[in-house]
Amino acid sequence: MNLENQTVIDVEVAEIDTPEPESIAIERWYSAAQIQSILDLSKSGLQKAIAKLQSIYGLDIATLRRGEARATQYSEFALKACKLLNTGKLSELRKLVEAAPAATSPSPAGTLTISEYTPALDRRIAELNQNATSTSASLNQNVMQLLAQIATENQAAQQRDADLDNAEINAAQNRGAARALAVFQAEQKAQAEVLAQLRAMKLGAES
């Protein structure tokens, strides 16, 4: 009789101690230092693991992490997923990912949902394109004005060079004319002196 009672008690204890299927609910959050210590990962290693869970397994970041900068916390779900990822238990990781809780919480005030974000992004791209076009047109106008100014200055410089050349030519011509006049005057003077001498000789002979 005692043996039967003991058997019943053992069965009941066994049933109580039997682990239930692993819950995927996010029940606890860890600081970055805690989760790095538990997983024996560096800061960059933890970030790479979280990035893989997002990019490869499509997990929502809200399921894995919350907060910013030093206040960043990682969920118990993130801890389990990173541990499976780092130990190479990919089949178990896929099961865990399939049972991941959907991000059903509403967007915080001031943030955009995906449906709101896409039009906002399109508007921002359009604004940037418009600003770029306006800036390009303004730059082109400034460049054209600068080129026109340079062309005007070059034309003025060429005109100054031409005027200087003409002035030098005129000065040279004037110097040549002055020398020619001096030579002509000297010749005229010499001729006048010769004529005077001839007249004097003729008058002397007649007397």
Side-chain angles (χ1 to χ4, degrees):
M1 183 67 177
N2 291 336
L3 181 59
E4 292 176 353
N5 292 337
Q6 182 67 34
T7 302
V8 172
I9 292 173
D10 290 342
V11 171
E12 291 176 351
V13 171
E15 291 176 351
I16 294 172
D17 293 339
T18 301
E20 296 179 357
E22 188 175 21
S23 173
I24 48 79
I26 301 174
E27 299 176 352
R28 182 178 176 185
W29 293 85
Y30 300 84
S31 68
Q34 287 176 324
I35 199 167
Q36 285 176 229
S37 176
I38 295 171
L39 296 174
D40 192 22
L41 287 175
S42 63
K43 182 178 179 181
S44 62
L46 176 59
Q47 291 175 345
K48 289 178 181 179
I50 294 297
K52 285 183 180 180
L53 293 175
Q54 283 185 268
S55 60
I56 298 176
Y57 293 93
L59 289 172
D60 185 76
I61 189 61
T63 305
L64 303 171
R65 186 178 65 197
R66 70 181 180 184
E68 296 180 358
R70 294 183 179 179
T72 302
Q73 293 181 321
Y74 294 87
S75 66
E76 188 171 1
F77 181 85
L79 174 61
K80 294 175 183 178
C82 287
K83 186 179 296 184
L84 293 174
L85 178 64
N86 292 340
T87 55
K89 298 179 180 179
L90 302 184
S91 59
E92 295 182 30
L93 176 57
R94 281 192 293 271
K95 292 179 182 178
L96 184 66
V97 170
E98 290 172 358
T104 57
S105 58
S107 299
T111 61
L112 295 174
T113 62
I114 294 300
S115 59
E116 294 170 335
Y117 177 77
T118 301
L121 181 59
D122 290 341
R123 286 194 299 271
R124 181 57 180 160
I125 292 174
E127 290 174 0
L128 291 174
N129 286 334
Q130 184 176 1
N131 291 339
T133 301
S134 177
T135 302
S136 178
S138 178
L139 289 174
N140 287 337
Q141 183 177 2
N142 291 338
V143 169
M144 294 302 294
Q145 290 175 350
L146 181 60
L147 291 176
Q149 181 180 354
I150 292 173
T152 301
E153 292 178 354
N154 287 339
Q155 185 176 3
Q158 291 174 356
Q159 184 62 45
R160 286 193 296 271
D161 291 341
D163 292 341
L164 180 60
D165 291 341
N166 290 332
E168 290 178 348
I169 291 172
N170 291 335
Q173 290 176 345
N174 290 335
R175 288 193 297 272
R179 285 195 294 271
L181 178 61
V183 170
F184 177 74
Q185 289 175 345
E187 290 177 350
Q188 291 295 319
K189 183 178 179 181
Q191 289 179 1
E193 291 176 352
V194 170
L195 289 173
Q197 290 177 358
L198 290 174
R199 289 193 190 97
M201 292 175 61
K202 184 177 180 182
L203 292 174
E206 292 178 349
S207 60

